[in-house]
Amino acid sequence: QVQLVESGGGLVQPGGSLTLSCVPSGSGFVIGPMGWYRQYPGKQRELVADITSGGIANYADSVKGRFTISRVNVRSTVYLQMNSLEPEDTAVYYCKAEARRVLDRSSYVYWGQGTQVTVSS
């Protein structure tokens, strides 16, 4: 079992910045690709950005140039630096990790509990 602990959400004014972090815990797994998704009320989760274990990043068009995803592989910690935040970025942000169990190489997908980001003056 892998647990993802998220932190860094909160209230920020338009144009401001926030950094989200996600730290996996658990043993017996190798963490693969990780990413950040967001969910608006009544909508499905959508990809914000993801990153491979090798550091290759991918971004939604709506956040390109404003958000940066990064990863520290020692603990597979992933960060989302969010700059020039807009009211439209207000959502619950979720961390996602793909993991492979060492014992039998079976694959799993894990989600964090979500952290609220609110952009408002």
Side-chain angles (χ1 to χ4, degrees), residues 3-120:
Q3 292 185 327
L4 303 176
V5 179
E6 302 154 342
S7 61
L11 172 65
V12 65
Q13 291 187 340
S17 299
L18 281 175
T19 301
L20 306 182
S21 64
C22 174
V23 183
S25 65
S27 60
F29 288 83
V30 176
I31 304 296
M34 300 182 71
W36 288 96
Y37 288 68
R38 63 188 178 189
Q39 188 169 22
Y40 300 105
K43 303 290 187 181
Q44 290 189 336
R45 287 180 197 179
E46 62 180 39
L47 174 70
V48 176
D50 57 21
I51 187 167
T52 67
S53 54
I56 298 173
N58 174 55
Y59 297 92
D61 288 343
S62 59
V63 306
K64 282 181 181 176
R66 300 188 298 123
F67 291 10
T68 302
I69 190 169
S70 61
R71 178 171 180 159
V72 177
N73 277 332
V74 172
R75 293 188 63 192
S76 294
T77 302
V78 66
Y79 302 94
L80 185 68
Q81 173 68 42
M82 303 185 293
N83 298 326
S84 302
L85 282 161
E86 304 168 351
E88 293 73 23
D89 296 315
T90 296
V92 179
Y93 285 69
Y94 294 89
C95 178
K96 174 188 173 184
E98 298 177 24
R100 188 179 297 276
R101 190 161 60 181
V102 173
L103 182 65
D104 58 6
R105 298 183 61 79
S106 54
S107 298
Y108 299 84
V109 175
Y110 295 97
W111 292 90
Q113 79 283 1
T115 185
Q116 176 71 45
V117 171
T118 302
V119 185
S120 175

